[in-house]
PDB file of all heavy atoms in Angstrom:
ATOM      1  N   PRO A1024      37.118 -16.579 -10.249  1.00  0.00           N
ATOM      2  CA  PRO A1024      37.233 -15.657 -11.385  1.00  0.00           C
ATOM      3  C   PRO A1024      37.011 -14.212 -10.947  1.00  0.00           C
ATOM      4  O   PRO A1024      36.254 -13.953 -10.014  1.00  0.00           O
ATOM      5  CB  PRO A1024      36.139 -16.121 -12.346  1.00  0.00           C
ATOM      6  CG  PRO A1024      35.161 -16.838 -11.487  1.00  0.00           C
ATOM      7  CD  PRO A1024      35.929 -17.429 -10.349  1.00  0.00           C
ATOM      8  N   CYS A1025      37.668 -13.294 -11.619  1.00  0.00           N
ATOM      9  CA  CYS A1025      37.587 -11.881 -11.240  1.00  0.00           C
ATOM     10  C   CYS A1025      36.143 -11.411 -11.140  1.00  0.00           C
ATOM     11  O   CYS A1025      35.726 -10.855 -10.121  1.00  0.00           O
ATOM     12  CB  CYS A1025      38.350 -11.037 -12.257  1.00  0.00           C
ATOM     13  SG  CYS A1025      38.271  -9.259 -11.933  1.00  0.00           S
ATOM     14  N   VAL A1026      35.384 -11.645 -12.184  1.00  0.00           N
ATOM     15  CA  VAL A1026      34.003 -11.190 -12.235  1.00  0.00           C
ATOM     16  C   VAL A1026      33.102 -12.358 -12.620  1.00  0.00           C
ATOM     17  O   VAL A1026      33.535 -13.297 -13.298  1.00  0.00           O
ATOM     18  CB  VAL A1026      33.854 -10.025 -13.243  1.00  0.00           C
ATOM     19  CG1 VAL A1026      34.095 -10.491 -14.679  1.00  0.00           C
ATOM     20  CG2 VAL A1026      32.498  -9.340 -13.125  1.00  0.00           C
ATOM     21  N   ILE A1027      31.865 -12.332 -12.170  1.00  0.00           N
ATOM     22  CA  ILE A1027      30.903 -13.359 -12.562  1.00  0.00           C
ATOM     23  C   ILE A1027      30.571 -13.164 -14.041  1.00  0.00           C
ATOM     24  O   ILE A1027      30.035 -12.133 -14.442  1.00  0.00           O
ATOM     25  CB  ILE A1027      29.622 -13.263 -11.711  1.00  0.00           C
ATOM     26  CG1 ILE A1027      29.948 -13.540 -10.234  1.00  0.00           C
ATOM     27  CG2 ILE A1027      28.570 -14.238 -12.220  1.00  0.00           C
ATOM     28  CD1 ILE A1027      28.799 -13.234  -9.294  1.00  0.00           C
ATOM     29  N   GLU A1028      30.895 -14.158 -14.838  1.00  0.00           N
ATOM     30  CA  GLU A1028      30.599 -14.112 -16.274  1.00  0.00           C
ATOM     31  C   GLU A1028      29.350 -14.932 -16.589  1.00  0.00           C
ATOM     32  O   GLU A1028      28.426 -14.435 -17.221  1.00  0.00           O
ATOM     33  CB  GLU A1028      31.800 -14.619 -17.074  1.00  0.00           C
ATOM     34  CG  GLU A1028      33.049 -13.753 -16.884  1.00  0.00           C
ATOM     35  CD  GLU A1028      34.233 -14.251 -17.690  1.00  0.00           C
ATOM     36  OE1 GLU A1028      34.028 -15.040 -18.648  1.00  0.00           O
ATOM     37  OE2 GLU A1028      35.365 -13.852 -17.370  1.00  0.00           O
ATOM     38  N   ASP A1029      29.347 -16.184 -16.164  1.00  0.00           N
ATOM     39  CA  ASP A1029      28.165 -17.033 -16.330  1.00  0.00           C
ATOM     40  C   ASP A1029      28.260 -18.203 -15.364  1.00  0.00           C
ATOM     41  O   ASP A1029      29.294 -18.452 -14.734  1.00  0.00           O
ATOM     42  CB  ASP A1029      28.002 -17.527 -17.777  1.00  0.00           C
ATOM     43  CG  ASP A1029      29.214 -18.301 -18.288  1.00  0.00           C
ATOM     44  OD1 ASP A1029      29.752 -19.137 -17.538  1.00  0.00           O
ATOM     45  OD2 ASP A1029      29.619 -18.079 -19.434  1.00  0.00           O
ATOM     46  N   GLU A1030      27.168 -18.930 -15.235  1.00  0.00           N
ATOM     47  CA  GLU A1030      27.111 -20.028 -14.279  1.00  0.00           C
ATOM     48  C   GLU A1030      28.080 -21.146 -14.638  1.00  0.00           C
ATOM     49  O   GLU A1030      28.681 -21.770 -13.751  1.00  0.00           O
ATOM     50  CB  GLU A1030      25.681 -20.571 -14.211  1.00  0.00           C
ATOM     51  CG  GLU A1030      25.493 -21.649 -13.156  1.00  0.00           C
ATOM     52  CD  GLU A1030      24.036 -22.052 -12.998  1.00  0.00           C
ATOM     53  OE1 GLU A1030      23.169 -21.151 -12.920  1.00  0.00           O
ATOM     54  OE2 GLU A1030      23.779 -23.273 -12.955  1.00  0.00           O
ATOM     55  N   LEU A1033      31.545 -20.237 -13.361  1.00  0.00           N
ATOM     56  CA  LEU A1033      31.537 -20.275 -11.894  1.00  0.00           C
ATOM     57  C   LEU A1033      31.596 -21.705 -11.387  1.00  0.00           C
ATOM     58  O   LEU A1033      32.353 -22.023 -10.465  1.00  0.00           O
ATOM     59  CB  LEU A1033      30.283 -19.595 -11.350  1.00  0.00           C
ATOM     60  CG  LEU A1033      30.228 -18.066 -11.288  1.00  0.00           C
ATOM     61  CD1 LEU A1033      28.997 -17.638 -10.520  1.00  0.00           C
ATOM     62  CD2 LEU A1033      31.472 -17.469 -10.646  1.00  0.00           C
ATOM     63  N   SER A1055      34.276 -14.160  -6.323  1.00  0.00           N
ATOM     64  CA  SER A1055      33.978 -13.534  -7.609  1.00  0.00           C
ATOM     65  C   SER A1055      33.164 -12.270  -7.345  1.00  0.00           C
ATOM     66  O   SER A1055      32.512 -12.160  -6.302  1.00  0.00           O
ATOM     67  CB  SER A1055      33.214 -14.481  -8.539  1.00  0.00           C
ATOM     68  OG  SER A1055      33.311 -14.032  -9.883  1.00  0.00           O
ATOM     69  N   SER A1056      33.222 -11.329  -8.264  1.00  0.00           N
ATOM     70  CA  SER A1056      32.554 -10.039  -8.085  1.00  0.00           C
ATOM     71  C   SER A1056      31.285  -9.965  -8.920  1.00  0.00           C
ATOM     72  O   SER A1056      31.280 -10.346 -10.090  1.00  0.00           O
ATOM     73  CB  SER A1056      33.491  -8.894  -8.494  1.00  0.00           C
ATOM     74  OG  SER A1056      34.648  -8.877  -7.683  1.00  0.00           O
ATOM     75  N   PHE A1057      30.206  -9.465  -8.314  1.00  0.00           N
ATOM     76  CA  PHE A1057      28.960  -9.259  -9.056  1.00  0.00           C
ATOM     77  C   PHE A1057      28.990  -7.956  -9.841  1.00  0.00           C
ATOM     78  O   PHE A1057      28.209  -7.751 -10.761  1.00  0.00           O
ATOM     79  CB  PHE A1057      27.759  -9.275  -8.102  1.00  0.00           C
ATOM     80  CG  PHE A1057      27.807  -8.222  -7.022  1.00  0.00           C
ATOM     81  CD1 PHE A1057      27.399  -6.926  -7.264  1.00  0.00           C
ATOM     82  CD2 PHE A1057      28.269  -8.548  -5.751  1.00  0.00           C
ATOM     83  CE1 PHE A1057      27.448  -5.965  -6.270  1.00  0.00           C
ATOM     84  CE2 PHE A1057      28.319  -7.595  -4.751  1.00  0.00           C
ATOM     85  CZ  PHE A1057      27.914  -6.293  -5.005  1.00  0.00           C
ATOM     86  N   TYR A1068      32.974  -4.677 -19.438  1.00  0.00           N
ATOM     87  CA  TYR A1068      31.988  -5.527 -18.757  1.00  0.00           C
ATOM     88  C   TYR A1068      32.135  -5.373 -17.254  1.00  0.00           C
ATOM     89  O   TYR A1068      33.244  -5.420 -16.712  1.00  0.00           O
ATOM     90  CB  TYR A1068      32.209  -6.982 -19.151  1.00  0.00           C
ATOM     91  CG  TYR A1068      31.306  -7.959 -18.434  1.00  0.00           C
ATOM     92  CD1 TYR A1068      29.965  -8.076 -18.776  1.00  0.00           C
ATOM     93  CD2 TYR A1068      31.806  -8.768 -17.412  1.00  0.00           C
ATOM     94  CE1 TYR A1068      29.128  -8.980 -18.124  1.00  0.00           C
ATOM     95  CE2 TYR A1068      30.978  -9.685 -16.761  1.00  0.00           C
ATOM     96  CZ  TYR A1068      29.647  -9.782 -17.115  1.00  0.00           C
ATOM     97  OH  TYR A1068      28.830 -10.670 -16.464  1.00  0.00           O
ATOM     98  N   ARG A1069      31.016  -5.203 -16.538  1.00  0.00           N
ATOM     99  CA  ARG A1069      31.054  -5.001 -15.094  1.00  0.00           C
ATOM    100  C   ARG A1069      30.547  -6.191 -14.296  1.00  0.00           C
ATOM    101  O   ARG A1069      30.926  -6.370 -13.141  1.00  0.00           O
ATOM    102  CB  ARG A1069      30.238  -3.761 -14.718  1.00  0.00           C
ATOM    103  CG  ARG A1069      30.889  -2.463 -15.144  1.00  0.00           C
ATOM    104  CD  ARG A1069      30.098  -1.251 -14.714  1.00  0.00           C
ATOM    105  NE  ARG A1069      29.779  -1.229 -13.292  1.00  0.00           N
ATOM    106  CZ  ARG A1069      29.293  -0.169 -12.662  1.00  0.00           C
ATOM    107  NH1 ARG A1069      29.070   0.952 -13.340  1.00  0.00           N
ATOM    108  NH2 ARG A1069      29.014  -0.218 -11.367  1.00  0.00           N
ATOM    109  N   GLY A1070      29.683  -7.000 -14.863  1.00  0.00           N
ATOM    110  CA  GLY A1070      29.124  -8.122 -14.117  1.00  0.00           C
ATOM    111  C   GLY A1070      27.613  -8.126 -14.187  1.00  0.00           C
ATOM    112  O   GLY A1070      26.994  -7.223 -14.768  1.00  0.00           O
ATOM    113  N   PRO A1071      26.964  -9.132 -13.578  1.00  0.00           N
ATOM    114  CA  PRO A1071      25.516  -9.270 -13.689  1.00  0.00           C
ATOM    115  C   PRO A1071      24.721  -8.381 -12.741  1.00  0.00           C
ATOM    116  O   PRO A1071      23.499  -8.335 -12.829  1.00  0.00           O
ATOM    117  CB  PRO A1071      25.292 -10.747 -13.341  1.00  0.00           C
ATOM    118  CG  PRO A1071      26.391 -11.061 -12.386  1.00  0.00           C
ATOM    119  CD  PRO A1071      27.579 -10.254 -12.860  1.00  0.00           C
ATOM    120  N   GLY A1072      25.381  -7.714 -11.820  1.00  0.00           N
ATOM    121  CA  GLY A1072      24.676  -6.885 -10.851  1.00  0.00           C
ATOM    122  C   GLY A1072      24.431  -7.620  -9.542  1.00  0.00           C
ATOM    123  O   GLY A1072      24.655  -8.826  -9.418  1.00  0.00           O
ATOM    124  N   GLU A1075      21.378 -10.757  -9.279  1.00  0.00           N
ATOM    125  CA  GLU A1075      21.734 -11.959 -10.033  1.00  0.00           C
ATOM    126  C   GLU A1075      23.082 -12.503  -9.559  1.00  0.00           C
ATOM    127  O   GLU A1075      23.278 -13.723  -9.455  1.00  0.00           O
ATOM    128  CB  GLU A1075      21.775 -11.654 -11.532  1.00  0.00           C
ATOM    129  CG  GLU A1075      22.232 -12.804 -12.416  1.00  0.00           C
ATOM    130  CD  GLU A1075      21.294 -14.015 -12.397  1.00  0.00           C
ATOM    131  OE1 GLU A1075      20.227 -13.958 -11.754  1.00  0.00           O
ATOM    132  OE2 GLU A1075      21.638 -15.026 -13.024  1.00  0.00           O
ATOM    133  N   GLY A1076      24.006 -11.606  -9.265  1.00  0.00           N
ATOM    134  CA  GLY A1076      25.320 -12.039  -8.799  1.00  0.00           C
ATOM    135  C   GLY A1076      25.245 -12.808  -7.499  1.00  0.00           C
ATOM    136  O   GLY A1076      25.864 -13.876  -7.353  1.00  0.00           O
ATOM    137  N   LEU A1077      24.474 -12.310  -6.550  1.00  0.00           N
ATOM    138  CA  LEU A1077      24.340 -13.006  -5.270  1.00  0.00           C
ATOM    139  C   LEU A1077      23.591 -14.322  -5.429  1.00  0.00           C
ATOM    140  O   LEU A1077      23.885 -15.302  -4.737  1.00  0.00           O
ATOM    141  CB  LEU A1077      23.653 -12.107  -4.245  1.00  0.00           C
ATOM    142  CG  LEU A1077      24.456 -10.886  -3.780  1.00  0.00           C
ATOM    143  CD1 LEU A1077      23.670 -10.098  -2.741  1.00  0.00           C
ATOM    144  CD2 LEU A1077      25.818 -11.286  -3.219  1.00  0.00           C
ATOM    145  N   LEU A1079      23.802 -16.320  -8.003  1.00  0.00           N
ATOM    146  CA  LEU A1079      24.774 -17.275  -8.535  1.00  0.00           C
ATOM    147  C   LEU A1079      25.806 -17.666  -7.481  1.00  0.00           C
ATOM    148  O   LEU A1079      26.191 -18.843  -7.388  1.00  0.00           O
ATOM    149  CB  LEU A1079      25.459 -16.688  -9.768  1.00  0.00           C
ATOM    150  CG  LEU A1079      24.577 -16.556 -11.007  1.00  0.00           C
ATOM    151  CD1 LEU A1079      25.273 -15.743 -12.090  1.00  0.00           C
ATOM    152  CD2 LEU A1079      24.188 -17.933 -11.541  1.00  0.00           C
ATOM    153  N   LEU A1080      26.254 -16.721  -6.676  1.00  0.00           N
ATOM    154  CA  LEU A1080      27.219 -17.040  -5.624  1.00  0.00           C
ATOM    155  C   LEU A1080      26.596 -17.968  -4.585  1.00  0.00           C
ATOM    156  O   LEU A1080      27.262 -18.870  -4.063  1.00  0.00           O
ATOM    157  CB  LEU A1080      27.732 -15.762  -4.969  1.00  0.00           C
ATOM    158  CG  LEU A1080      28.668 -14.905  -5.824  1.00  0.00           C
ATOM    159  CD1 LEU A1080      28.977 -13.587  -5.119  1.00  0.00           C
ATOM    160  CD2 LEU A1080      29.967 -15.657  -6.135  1.00  0.00           C
ATOM    161  N   THR A1093      33.001 -11.644  -1.589  1.00  0.00           N
ATOM    162  CA  THR A1093      32.735 -10.768  -2.730  1.00  0.00           C
ATOM    163  C   THR A1093      32.845  -9.319  -2.295  1.00  0.00           C
ATOM    164  O   THR A1093      32.839  -9.010  -1.103  1.00  0.00           O
ATOM    165  CB  THR A1093      31.351 -11.067  -3.356  1.00  0.00           C
ATOM    166  OG1 THR A1093      31.277 -10.480  -4.663  1.00  0.00           O
ATOM    167  CG2 THR A1093      30.214 -10.540  -2.492  1.00  0.00           C
ATOM    168  N   LEU A1245      36.579 -11.651 -19.026  1.00  0.00           N
ATOM    169  CA  LEU A1245      35.956 -10.354 -19.289  1.00  0.00           C
ATOM    170  C   LEU A1245      36.454  -9.248 -18.361  1.00  0.00           C
ATOM    171  O   LEU A1245      36.043  -8.102 -18.496  1.00  0.00           O
ATOM    172  CB  LEU A1245      34.426 -10.486 -19.174  1.00  0.00           C
ATOM    173  CG  LEU A1245      33.776 -11.487 -20.145  1.00  0.00           C
ATOM    174  CD1 LEU A1245      32.268 -11.487 -19.964  1.00  0.00           C
ATOM    175  CD2 LEU A1245      34.156 -11.177 -21.586  1.00  0.00           C
TER     176      LEU A1245
END
Side-chain angles (χ1 to χ4, degrees):
C1025 178
V1026 67
I1027 297 170
E1028 298 181 18
D1029 57 43
E1030 185 173 314
L1033 281 189
S1055 199
S1056 298
F1057 59 82
Y1068 176 75
R1069 289 182 53 168
E1075 176 64 4
L1077 292 181
L1079 290 170
L1080 289 173
T1093 196
L1245 300 182

